[in-house]
Amino acid sequence: MRSAEALLLTILLSHAATAAADCAPLEFEGDGIPAPLLGLEGDAERGREVATSTDRGDCAICHALPVLAQDPRFHGNIGSPLHGVGARLTAAQLRARIAAPKRLDPHTVMPAYCETGHRWRVASDRVGEPILTAGEIEDLVAWLATLRGDRS
């Protein structure tokens, strides 16, 4: 292998290892992950931005979101509506369902936003990276926890 190729491979592997470690370890208790990822505190406003951003969480592709002013026809219906989800699930349960949903339901179509394995058709510059960082997941959990009623 030429030195430039070796250097590129080293950089890619290092980047992938750093990104993959961003969410690890995931320590489940029952159906939740009680401790915030990497001990981070989420911010609900940033979480709302992650949820509604088409280049980050893009939750509306599968879920109905209460905060989008768009026509409801553009909300997804594959996943459950997120109206009132903060009243139905704890922060620990939300975190688990975002970070590693297949550990709770191996047949779910919900992507594992924190894990890097079992992904296909990933852009070459994103190989080995989780979909969301630990901080983005914590922000999303903080926002979802505020959704406590039908209109929230």
Side-chain angles (χ1 to χ4, degrees):
M1 185 179 309
R2 296 186 308 229
S3 62
E5 290 172 332
L7 177 62
L8 178 60
L9 181 59
T10 301
I11 291 169
L12 288 174
L13 290 175
S14 172
H15 179 69
T18 301
D22 190 41
C23 290
L26 298 177
E27 297 184 22
F28 276 77
E29 282 184 22
D31 68 343
I33 301 172
L37 302 177
L38 301 177
L40 299 171
E41 185 175 331
D43 175 270
E45 187 55 37
R46 286 191 315 250
R48 180 183 183 280
E49 292 171 16
V50 169
T52 58
S53 171
T54 57
D55 65 341
R56 296 307 305 142
D58 200 13
C59 299
I61 198 166
C62 293
H63 300 274
L65 297 180
V67 297
L68 294 180
Q70 297 173 321
D71 186 321
R73 293 175 296 169
F74 297 113
H75 292 252
N77 60 9
I78 295 170
S80 60
L82 296 181
H83 309 331
V85 71
R88 295 189 305 271
L89 299 172
T90 66
Q93 291 170 318
L94 290 167
R95 189 175 293 111
R97 282 155 179 76
I98 297 166
K102 292 191 186 313
R103 293 193 194 182
L104 301 170
D105 177 4
H107 303 292
T108 186
V109 295
M110 174 88 170
Y113 282 86
C114 189
E115 297 180 339
T116 59
H118 304 98
R119 291 177 59 205
W120 50 278
R121 298 181 67 152
V122 177
S124 59
D125 63 331
R126 298 292 311 263
V127 170
E129 290 184 19
I131 298 170
L132 296 175
T133 67
E136 289 169 323
I137 290 172
E138 289 305 321
D139 293 340
L140 192 52
V141 168
W143 176 68
L144 290 170
T146 70
L147 302 181
R148 307 207 51 86
D150 288 344
R151 302 250 181 232
S152 61

